[in-house]
Amino acid sequence: MKDLMACLTFDFDAMSGLVARGMMTPTPVSRGEFGAVAVPRILDLLKRYGIKSSFFVPGVVIGTYPQLCERIVAEGHELGNHGWTHVPPASLSPELEEEGLVRGNEAIFKLTGRNPAGYRSPSWDLSDHTVGFLLRHGFLYESSMMANDHEPYRVRQGDVVHTDKPMEFGKETSLVEMPISWSLDDFPHFEFLRTSASLMPGLMNASGVLENWLNDFEYMRRTCDWGVLTYTCHPYVIGRGHRMLMLERLIEGLLGKGARFATMETAVRAYLERA
């Protein structure tokens, strides 16, 4: 019997991701604020299909929208650490990175009564110190890297990257990686983002993105007896009307392909049992 899991995950960044880019004027703040409109829509949809999901929320967003985060927890969804702010760890000093990790844990502990099992880096950009901090603070898994598509793996520590000779791989740790991909993230497909240095055009047709997302699961179904595919969505992105319809069609399409929906923690524990 095949056991193929789909993890629907949501990075509830609200305005924190835009603020981290220095976008603090009223319009970008309101853009992130739409996430608070979208979260109830997403929770209602998940409830309708009986799906438990994983939400990664920066500590500042938990403080900004405590009632929404309380509802996420009350309805049985996993709450993961997404830092204190949305500043990428690679842009922080080691001291500030660990301080933010601890503050994020404390905010989640107040809501759930336990430390989070999982961590996802803001902007998927780890520092050289992140893995050590995650191990020190007892995390079960992290989800910011891309060395596989539907097979979890052990995170290495101590890699040495050279520009002019072969890579030196570090030792595997107890930390489990739940791999992600920009191709399975709603933000680069849909968000129009203009800064002084770059332009992200976004605004793609949702039907084409849906086809790709379903086909990645179909490939896993054809080639594996066991696997986990992780989808990453942002409420203020996926929560727009036509994309909510896409999300529902994704759920129905995955169910039609035999998917078992799971939280990230549930999928990681299934992986460890197999190992």
Side-chain angles (χ1 to χ4, degrees), residues 31-247:
R31 182 175 179 175
E33 194 174 352
F34 183 75
V37 174
V39 165
R41 297 178 180 181
I42 292 166
L43 291 174
D44 289 345
L45 178 65
L46 296 174
K47 182 184 291 186
R48 191 154 72 246
Y49 285 89
I51 293 171
K52 301 303 180 188
S53 183
S54 299
F55 285 76
F56 295 88
V57 191
V60 293
V61 176
I62 293 174
T64 304
Y65 296 110
Q67 291 180 330
L68 283 178
C69 294
E70 288 169 4
R71 180 180 169 186
I72 290 169
V73 173
E75 296 189 6
H77 302 288
E78 178 185 5
L79 207 59
N81 191 312
H82 201 35
W84 178 251
T85 68
H86 204 277
V87 176
S91 301
L92 295 171
S93 69
E95 294 76 18
L96 287 177
E97 180 184 356
E98 185 171 24
E99 178 187 334
L101 188 71
V102 170
R103 293 181 74 186
N105 275 357
E106 291 172 348
I108 291 171
F109 188 90
K110 288 180 182 179
L111 282 177
T112 66
R114 55 172 290 200
N115 285 327
Y119 171 80
R120 175 172 284 164
S121 167
S123 301
W124 290 344
D125 193 8
L126 306 178
S127 78
D128 292 337
H129 307 280
T130 304
V131 173
F133 292 150
L134 296 177
L135 291 169
R136 179 185 299 174
H137 293 284
F139 283 85
L140 178 67
Y141 74 90
E142 94 88 38
S143 183
S144 313
M145 293 190 282
M146 310 181 186
N148 209 307
D149 47 7
H150 45 251
E151 178 73 24
Y153 59 92
R154 299 284 186 167
V155 176
R156 294 188 307 271
Q157 189 175 28
D159 283 358
V160 181
V161 183
H162 301 283
T163 60
D164 62 345
K165 59 182 180 179
M167 174 93 178
E168 295 181 52
F169 292 116
K171 294 182 178 181
E172 290 187 349
T173 70
S174 61
L175 191 67
V176 176
E177 178 63 33
M178 289 293 283
I180 42 74
S181 169
W182 286 115
S183 64
L184 293 175
D185 184 307
D186 60 356
F187 193 94
H189 295 301
F190 294 133
E191 279 304 289
F192 177 87
L193 187 64
R194 182 177 57 206
T195 70
S196 59
S198 65
L199 173 68
M200 180 183 291
L203 306 180
M204 290 181 63
N205 186 292
S207 296
V209 176
L210 172 65
E211 182 179 5
N212 288 345
W213 286 13
L214 286 173
N215 281 342
D216 272 357
F217 190 90
E218 176 64 19
Y219 181 80
M220 179 175 70
R221 190 180 71 84
R222 294 186 185 188
T223 59
C224 299
D225 290 329
W226 189 95
V228 186
L229 198 63
T230 298
Y231 298 90
T232 303
C233 297
H234 300 75
Y236 79 86
V237 179
I238 203 69
R240 297 289 175 179
H242 66 290
R243 298 173 194 153
M244 286 298 299
L245 295 177
M246 171 203 148
L247 182 58

Side-chain angles (χ1 to χ4, degrees), residues 14-15 18-19 22-34 65:
M15 62 285 295
L18 299 165
V19 169
M23 303 170 69
M24 294 180 280
T25 53
T27 295
V29 169
S30 70
R31 182 175 179 175
E33 194 174 352
F34 183 75
Y65 296 110

